Structure formats: C-alpha cells, structure tokens
C-alpha cells in the first residue's frame, strides 16, 4: 500500500483493482473491514461463521469486481455481498443445534457499532448490567428469521439509512421497513419473555419507519396506525 492508494476513493480503488493493481483491493477491504466484520458477525451470531462468510464474500467481491456497474456506492455493493454470504451461511446451518452466543461477541464485533458502545463513566455495576442487557438482546436477535435479523442489524445496530439498506439487500425500501417492523415486534416479545423490561432494544439509528420499543407500555394515541 502506498500513500497514493490512500488518496483514491472507493470507486477509484475498485477501478485500479480491475486494471490489475495488486494492492488496490486490499486497501479497499482494509478501509471498510471493521463494519463489514461487524455486520457478518451480528448477522451470523457466531465468530467462526462470520469469518467464513466474510472470507467468502471478499473472494466473491475480488472476482466479481468487473461486474460492478457503479449504480450504487462501493460500500453498498460490498455490504450486499457480505450480507448475502452471511444469510447463506445462516440458512446452511439451519439444522445445526442452537448454541449459546459467545460471551465476547461484542468484543469481536469491534469498533463503532451502536450496540457495542459502552459508557466509560458508568460504575462497574452499571457496566455489568449493560453487558447483561447486550447479551440478552443479541440472544433474542439470533432467534429472528434471517431476513428480519439482517434488516435490524443494518438499520438499528449499524445505523444505515433504510434507502441504503434496501440497496444492500436488493429489495424495496418498503420491504426493509416491513422487515424491521416485524423484527422489532418479535424482538420486543422475546425480550419480555426473557424478563428484560423497562429498556429499549437496539436503538433505531436512522429508520424513518416505525419506532421500536421493548417497554411493556400502552402506545400513545397518534391518530392512526403506525406503518
């Protein structure tokens, strides 16, 4: 990698890779590795599966770079490939007996994601409660259908706009909103079953659709049904 590579934007790096530059794709992957890894990990719920899915996705992206049409951001294209690889692995492992999520899943997930954020000023007891909550939310998330889980990971946990997630998942924005709404409702029920009350689930970072809640409370009248 050279300083010249760092000055190139994502589209230019992908073009350089297609032109035969041996370092360009590595620079591109390194630039977005953390978020791609977090998406793969939270979608699969298993570090081993996430590593395999991410590797498969990057091999696919490396080979299919010539097919990139430029009608979406390069990051959107990369995320679509990672999500598809992660969902494929989830479906492939459908018959596998359920296993508990690793305690250090969020440590694996790494930097910058909403659910991984901790309050460094909190006392040890508050941090322990926060860690328990995260584990409960992640375990409940792992019980959602793959399509709903992928939508919630991208919208609520990674904070991508619904429109961009629709491009990542290659579906209409309404479908993403519907998956998020169904996933949030199901997640709320699972969290109530687990005894996690008086808290919210993964925060809604950017979805203009229905607001998520996991609190056991009656909705306030709003003059109509939420969509």
């Amino acid at each position: 990698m050279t300083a010249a590579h760092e000055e190139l934007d994502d589209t230019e790096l992908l073009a350089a890779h297609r032109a035969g530059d041996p370092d360009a794709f590595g620079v591109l992957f390194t630039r977005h590795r953390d978020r791609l890894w977090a998406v793969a990990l939270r979608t699969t719920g298993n570090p081993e599966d996430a590593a395999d899915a991410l590797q498969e996705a990057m091999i696919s992206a490396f080979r299919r770079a010539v097919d990139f049409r430029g009608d979406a951001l390069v990051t959107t294209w990369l995320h679509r490939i990672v999500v598809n690889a992660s969902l494929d692995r989830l479906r492939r492992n459908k018959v596998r007996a359920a296993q508990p999520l690793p305690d250090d899943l969020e440590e694996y997930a790494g930097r910058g994601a909403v659910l991984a954020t901790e309050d460094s000023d909190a006392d040890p007891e508050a941090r322990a409660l926060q860690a328990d909550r995260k584990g409960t939310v992640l375990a409940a998330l792992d019980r959602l259908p793959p399509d709903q889980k992928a939508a919630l990971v991208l919208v609520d946990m990674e904070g991508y706009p619904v429109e961009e997630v629709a491009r990542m998942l290659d579906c209409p924005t309404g479908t993403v909103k519907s998956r998020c709404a169904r996933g949030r409702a199901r997640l709320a029920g699972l969290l109530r079953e687990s005894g996690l009350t008086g808290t919210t689930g993964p925060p809604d970072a950017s979805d203009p659709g229905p607001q998520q809640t996991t609190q056991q409370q009656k909705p306030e009248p709003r003059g109509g049904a939420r969509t």
Side-chain angles (χ1 to χ4, degrees):
M1 180 178 69
T2 66
H5 283 107
E6 286 299 325
E7 293 175 1
L8 299 178
D9 64 25
D10 292 346
T11 303
E12 291 169 334
L13 282 171
L14 197 61
H17 165 63
R18 288 199 302 260
D21 187 323
D23 299 319
F25 190 84
V27 175
L28 179 65
F29 171 64
T30 300
R31 184 176 290 175
H32 302 291
R33 174 181 55 204
D34 290 339
R35 295 201 79 174
L36 294 173
W37 167 245
V39 167
L41 182 61
R42 292 196 173 108
T43 302
T44 61
N46 180 291
E48 231 176 88
D49 288 337
D52 289 342
L54 186 59
Q55 182 177 7
E56 290 170 8
M58 289 305 99
I59 291 172
S60 177
F62 185 92
R63 293 173 176 170
R64 290 167 48 195
V66 67
D67 298 328
F68 178 72
R69 300 186 302 273
D71 53 357
L73 295 173
V74 173
T75 51
T76 300
W77 176 72
L78 289 173
H79 275 76
R80 180 186 302 163
I81 296 173
V82 170
V83 169
N84 285 338
S86 300
L87 291 176
D88 285 345
R89 187 152 290 272
L90 271 183
R91 295 179 184 116
R92 219 178 299 164
N93 294 341
K94 222 168 160 185
V95 295
R96 187 178 64 185
Q99 297 177 354
L101 292 174
D103 293 335
D104 53 356
L105 182 64
E106 280 307 297
E107 181 181 338
Y108 276 107
R111 313 171 185 121
V114 175
L115 196 61
T117 304
E118 290 189 359
D119 182 0
S120 58
D121 295 329
D123 59 45
E125 183 178 356
R127 285 199 298 270
L129 288 172
Q130 186 181 44
D132 286 344
R133 174 183 174 271
K134 286 179 183 177
T136 303
V137 171
L138 289 166
L141 187 71
D142 203 44
R143 294 171 62 185
L144 297 183
D147 289 345
Q148 293 176 18
K149 183 179 182 182
L152 286 183
V153 165
L154 291 167
V155 173
D156 286 353
M157 298 177 73
E158 292 300 316
Y160 287 106
V162 168
E163 292 76 11
E164 189 170 353
V165 172
R167 289 189 288 270
M168 291 176 186
L169 299 179
D170 197 21
C171 65
T173 57
T175 300
V176 175
K177 291 179 182 180
S178 175
R179 289 176 184 175
C180 285
R182 293 199 305 271
R184 289 170 188 146
R186 186 163 181 174
L187 188 64
L190 291 170
L191 293 178
R192 283 195 295 270
E193 288 176 13
S194 72
L196 186 63
T197 59
T199 61
T200 56
D204 182 3
S206 56
D207 182 10
Q211 294 298 308
Q212 168 205 9
T213 177
T214 57
Q215 293 177 308
Q216 300 185 51
Q217 60 184 18
K218 295 180 180 179
E220 296 179 4
R222 300 183 66 86
R226 286 177 172 172
T227 57

